[in-house]
Amino acid sequence: MRAGGRAVVADMPLTGEYAPSPSDWAREQAEKYEATDGAEAGTLRGVPIVVYTSVGASSGKLRKTPLMRVEHDGEYLAVASKGGAPDHPAWYRNFLTSPFVEVQDGAQRHDCSVRELEGDERDVWWKRAVAVWPDYAEYQRSTDRLIPLLLLTPLDDDAA
Ligand code: F42
């Protein structure tokens, strides 16, 4: 399996000690989603979510992050909105430094490569994100930082 010239072991799960998020709502939602393959805690205000697992950029621990499900043709978009806060969420750095990020979408799990979007491609995906979760537009209006958009591409061929 080759991605960007590096041999990638796509089906080797991320390993490490799980470090629960200090954010109760996010932690509880991630754990219930994972335990029930999304049958429980699968939405936020009726809109589907997915759960990402990444490796902490400093701690090296496994972090689990529920985010809105923005998917197109088998690829996923992670929107580092953090409700329009002035600073990026910590997971943004984790995703960019993790060997890969696992996305759990219902009962399906995919190991994904990650890249940050810009320019026209970013515009196309931003529209998809706002169509799923209109509050993203409000979050962007409420902060000077440009909300980063990370594209996750499954490394297993059959996912696309
Ligand atoms: N957040 C979004 O940004 N976008 C969404 O679309 C979104 C949807 C969503 C749906 C359901 C739900 O339950 C939560 C949702 N959230 C969404 C919230 C999201 O899950 C996160 O809680 C939020 O984005 C904040 O992310 P955070 O990574 O900043 O989380 C904090 C609370 C956190 O976990 N902090 C930890 C801590 O100890 O302070 C550790 C953070 C961490 O990962 N540390 C790294 C490490 O090495 O372990 C170091 C990172 C570094 O900068 O070096």
Side-chain angles (χ1 to χ4, degrees):
M1 179 74 64
R2 308 210 58 81
R6 282 182 303 115
V8 179
V9 181
D11 54 1
M12 185 184 81
L14 289 173
T15 54
E17 178 196 339
Y18 167 47
S21 167
S23 160
D24 291 345
W25 72 296
R27 182 185 64 253
E28 285 160 17
Q29 181 147 29
E31 291 176 353
K32 194 167 285 184
Y33 186 100
E34 224 179 17
T36 64
D37 279 347
E40 287 179 41
T43 61
L44 178 65
R45 297 198 324 243
V47 181
I49 68 150
V50 290
V51 173
Y52 294 98
T53 301
S54 64
V55 176
S58 312
S59 69
K61 293 183 179 176
L62 291 189
R63 300 289 182 177
K64 299 202 179 282
T65 309
L67 297 177
M68 300 325 293
R69 182 183 186 278
V70 181
E71 181 273 344
H72 181 78
D73 278 353
E75 293 185 300
Y76 293 85
L77 187 78
V79 179
S81 50
K82 199 178 170 183
D87 56 328
H88 296 326
W91 61 260
Y92 167 64
R93 228 164 73 82
N94 300 345
F95 279 35
L96 289 178
T97 49
S98 199
F100 48 84
V101 172
E102 179 196 271
V103 60
Q104 180 180 356
D105 185 359
Q108 293 217 345
R109 292 165 184 263
H110 304 288
D111 295 332
C112 301
S113 60
V114 181
R115 67 184 169 86
E116 185 160 359
L117 297 182
E118 52 191 18
D120 295 344
E121 190 182 24
R122 184 189 188 282
D123 296 345
V124 168
W125 276 97
W126 176 249
K127 288 188 181 70
R128 289 176 181 146
V130 172
V132 167
W133 191 250
D135 283 5
Y136 283 139
E138 184 49 44
Y139 302 155
Q140 183 57 81
R141 280 192 290 273
S142 64
T143 177
D144 295 337
R145 76 182 167 100
L146 182 64
I147 292 176
L149 302 186
L150 299 182
L151 186 67
L152 292 102
T153 304
L155 293 164
D156 43 0
D157 295 336
D158 61 355

